[in-house]
Amino acid sequence: MSKSIEISSSSHNGMNVIVCSTEKFKTITISLVLTVPLKADKCGIRALIPYVLTSSTKNCPDKSLVNEKLDNLYGADLQIEVNKKGENQLLTFRMQIISDQYSEENAQLLASAIMFLHEIVYDPYVNHDGFLLNIVEAEKKALKKKVKSIVNDQSIYASIRLIEEVFEGSPRGVFALGNIEDIDRATPLSVYEAYMDLLKESKVEMFVVGRIKENKLVKVIQSIFVNDYVQNFKTTRSRSYNKSLNNIKTIHEISNTQQSQLLVGYQTNVTIKDSDFEACRVANAIFGRFPSSKLFQSIREKEAIAYFILSQLEINNGILMVIAGINVSDYDRTLKLILKQEEAMKLGEFTPEEVEKSKVLLKNLLLEAYDTPMGIIDICMQLMESGKKIDDVNNQIKRISEVTKRDIVRVVKNWRLDTVFFLKEGD
């Protein structure tokens, strides 16, 4: 693995640049990530910014000209993402191009793509009122439609609601796209002011994956990103979220869904930066991550009372969520069985075979992630967040392999039930 992917990290004018050089792909993926602290009153308008920026630039003042420019870059693909990690909101601008050797310009395509990505983010088209009214209104409409579609997806909505309840009063509970009311209030001027604040407050990172030579790439980046990108970002690296759990929350909501959703949230007291993180991952794998897990085998297969059931870790928040699709009548029974399997984990009632199988499944997921550019970027971001060196997959596999049963029992004993959220079918 270390021979097929060479990963390096450096800083240029305050911007972190992570280069993942590999012959695995015929394309080059460039991700520019702006990270800012989550703020409830700013999430919506900040989520709108990437959509506005990708609709016009100083040299391409409307969407058709932006698309024409992308076509001229051999059909470059431009995407944006808005999400959150821990207490931070991430705005990602991603461009995928063919590798230079497949273009007539040869070495010029990558430089042109990076230059255009810089133009999109740092040289937008504005007038005396800020951004263009027609673009802001069009992107507001699109973003509101996206928010509504997410809320109307019952599984996603239930997960959002659980997070809100677990982290009530904390930035971690804020929805990354904000709310429709805040988006509605956005004006060309307010979006522009929020954009200027974003540039002052954000941490900037660039990830590049593909057939690239680091020394040439660095020279290109240095010639384009000439400003000082050391801003006022305050590091909020993931840490455990500690709160008093004198009372376990139980919330029931009625929805017109055809299938009820039962979610159980645990505080794990472990995030990606903790030394017990790999042990927590293996514990979750045994508990509910895979079809071979205790929850799936006991509740879905043996008892046949769940349409689906799984558990997943929020690695930046230090929580574990159990998610099950059930009938209303099976609520009490399902919750009882989930708690029973949790207790079994704490008592160490799992076999060495279960431990090893879960490790193999986790290792396979890791290896599969290295087969896609976005998977590689995600792994790099996780390693950076954890404070570890950006090393190769062999070191990551080693950390999983070294987890013992004693480690697993120790971390599971720190799991604490926080919130039970039930979205049930009804009128």
Side-chain angles (χ1 to χ4, degrees):
M1 177 60 64
S2 59
K3 292 182 179 179
S4 60
I5 302 178
E6 295 182 2
I7 302 176
S8 61
S9 176
S10 57
S11 179
H12 304 284
N13 297 327
M15 180 178 72
N16 293 325
V17 178
I18 296 85
V19 180
C20 306
S21 181
T22 175
E23 299 291 315
K24 292 168 69 73
F25 314 114
K26 293 183 178 180
T27 59
I28 295 176
T29 301
I30 311 156
S31 281
L32 189 66
V33 184
L34 276 61
T35 303
V36 286
L38 273 168
K39 295 180 181 178
D41 61 337
K42 292 186 177 182
C43 266
I45 198 166
R46 281 180 170 169
L48 190 58
I49 291 170
Y51 294 90
V52 173
L53 293 179
T54 52
S55 294
S56 67
T57 72
K58 185 176 181 179
N59 295 318
C60 302
D62 62 51
K63 190 72 172 180
S64 64
L65 292 175
V66 171
N67 290 334
E68 183 179 324
K69 177 67 174 180
L70 293 171
D71 288 340
N72 290 337
L73 293 171
Y74 287 78
D77 180 43
L78 176 64
Q79 297 180 350
I80 52 177
E81 282 184 9
V82 180
N83 54 25
K84 68 175 186 178
K85 290 189 177 182
E87 297 179 356
N88 297 321
Q89 185 180 28
L90 280 67
L91 312 181
T92 300
F93 302 80
R94 183 181 307 113
M95 189 179 293
Q96 190 171 71
I97 59 172
I98 61 173
S99 295
D100 280 338
Q101 55 264 49
Y102 299 108
S103 70
E104 293 177 4
E105 287 85 356
N106 202 0
Q108 298 304 311
L109 182 57
L110 177 58
S112 298
I114 293 175
M115 187 175 297
F116 188 46
L117 194 59
H118 179 276
E119 180 182 330
I120 288 170
V121 178
Y122 294 102
D123 202 5
Y125 185 84
V126 296
N127 59 26
H128 62 280
D129 292 322
F131 291 113
L132 295 181
L133 177 61
N134 64 320
I135 288 177
V136 171
E137 290 302 316
E139 297 308 330
K140 281 169 61 176
K141 183 178 180 180
L143 183 57
K144 287 190 292 182
K145 184 178 180 180
K146 183 179 180 68
V147 171
K148 288 177 181 178
S149 69
I150 291 172
V151 172
N152 289 335
D153 185 312
Q154 298 301 315
S155 295
I156 299 176
Y157 171 75
S159 297
I160 291 171
R161 286 288 293 114
L162 178 72
I163 295 293
E164 287 177 345
E165 294 295 338
V166 170
F167 297 112
E168 184 180 10
S170 165
R172 296 171 191 249
V174 176
F175 180 42
L177 296 180
N179 58 63
I180 288 178
E181 293 74 21
D182 288 340
I183 297 169
D184 259 333
R185 284 192 290 268
T187 66
L189 182 58
S190 68
V191 177
Y192 180 71
E193 291 173 342
Y195 163 72
M196 296 303 294
D197 288 339
L198 173 70
L199 297 186
K200 294 176 184 177
E201 297 179 21
S202 60
K203 176 180 67 175
V204 184
E205 295 170 311
M206 178 180 285
F207 300 83
V208 187
V209 181
R211 300 185 180 194
I212 43 184
K213 294 183 179 180
E214 183 187 4
N215 58 341
K216 290 185 178 180
L217 175 64
V218 168
K219 289 180 180 178
V220 169
I221 292 173
Q222 287 176 332
S223 68
I224 297 172
F225 288 79
V226 296
N227 294 328
D228 186 355
Y229 297 92
V230 178
Q231 306 292 357
N232 299 320
F233 177 78
K234 296 180 180 179
T235 301
T236 54
R237 179 176 288 171
S238 300
R239 58 185 183 278
S240 298
Y241 179 75
N242 296 314
K243 70 175 183 180
S244 174
L245 289 178
N246 295 326
N247 296 304
I248 296 168
K249 281 187 180 182
T250 301
I251 298 106
H252 288 202
E253 284 188 13
I254 297 176
S255 173
N256 60 359
T257 179
Q258 294 182 346
Q259 183 184 109
S260 297
Q261 306 275 330
L262 171 61
L263 283 80
V264 182
Y266 292 91
Q267 297 280 356
T268 66
N269 294 304
V270 176
T271 69
I272 192 170
K273 77 178 184 66
D274 296 307
S275 58
D276 278 333
F277 175 65
E278 300 299 347
C280 198
R281 287 184 69 195
V282 177
N284 176 57
I286 298 170
F287 183 52
R289 175 66 177 82
F290 299 107
S292 59
S293 67
K294 288 186 169 295
L295 291 180
F296 190 91
Q297 289 299 315
S298 63
I299 298 174
R300 173 67 175 83
E301 294 296 292
K302 183 179 178 181
E303 299 293 335
I305 57 172
Y307 297 104
F308 68 88
I309 186 165
L310 72 152
S311 65
Q312 61 186 39
L313 289 172
E314 286 276 322
I315 64 175
N316 299 93
N317 285 325
I319 67 168
L320 179 147
M321 291 192 296
V322 177
I323 307 170
I326 61 173
N327 293 321
V328 172
S329 58
D330 291 320
Y331 168 81
D332 289 327
R333 190 177 171 198
T334 305
L335 181 57
K336 183 178 179 180
L337 287 170
I338 291 171
L339 299 180
K340 180 180 178 181
Q341 291 303 323
E342 173 212 340
E343 185 61 25
M345 292 289 296
K346 290 181 176 179
L347 294 173
E349 294 178 358
F350 50 88
T351 66
E353 290 75 21
E354 287 177 286
V355 174
E356 292 308 310
K357 184 171 185 177
S358 295
K359 288 182 180 180
V360 169
L361 292 170
L362 287 173
K363 293 172 188 177
N364 287 341
L365 283 180
L366 185 59
L367 291 169
E368 290 171 7
Y370 275 87
D371 287 334
T372 67
M374 281 312 304
I376 294 170
I377 292 173
D378 286 342
I379 288 172
C380 289
M381 294 183 76
Q382 288 181 21
L383 289 168
M384 292 169 67
E385 179 68 18
S386 70
K388 297 182 177 68
K389 294 181 179 179
I390 301 180
D391 50 8
D392 62 46
V393 69
N394 295 321
N395 289 325
Q396 295 169 286
I397 287 176
K398 181 181 178 182
R399 288 193 291 271
I400 294 172
S401 298
E402 291 174 346
V403 172
T404 66
K405 182 174 183 177
R406 181 177 296 180
D407 295 330
I408 295 167
V409 173
R410 185 183 69 254
V411 298
V412 175
K413 283 184 176 180
N414 288 324
W415 291 1
R416 297 182 297 161
L417 180 60
D418 183 295
T419 301
V420 176
F421 181 82
F422 188 42
L423 186 66
K424 58 185 179 181
E425 51 196 288
D427 297 322

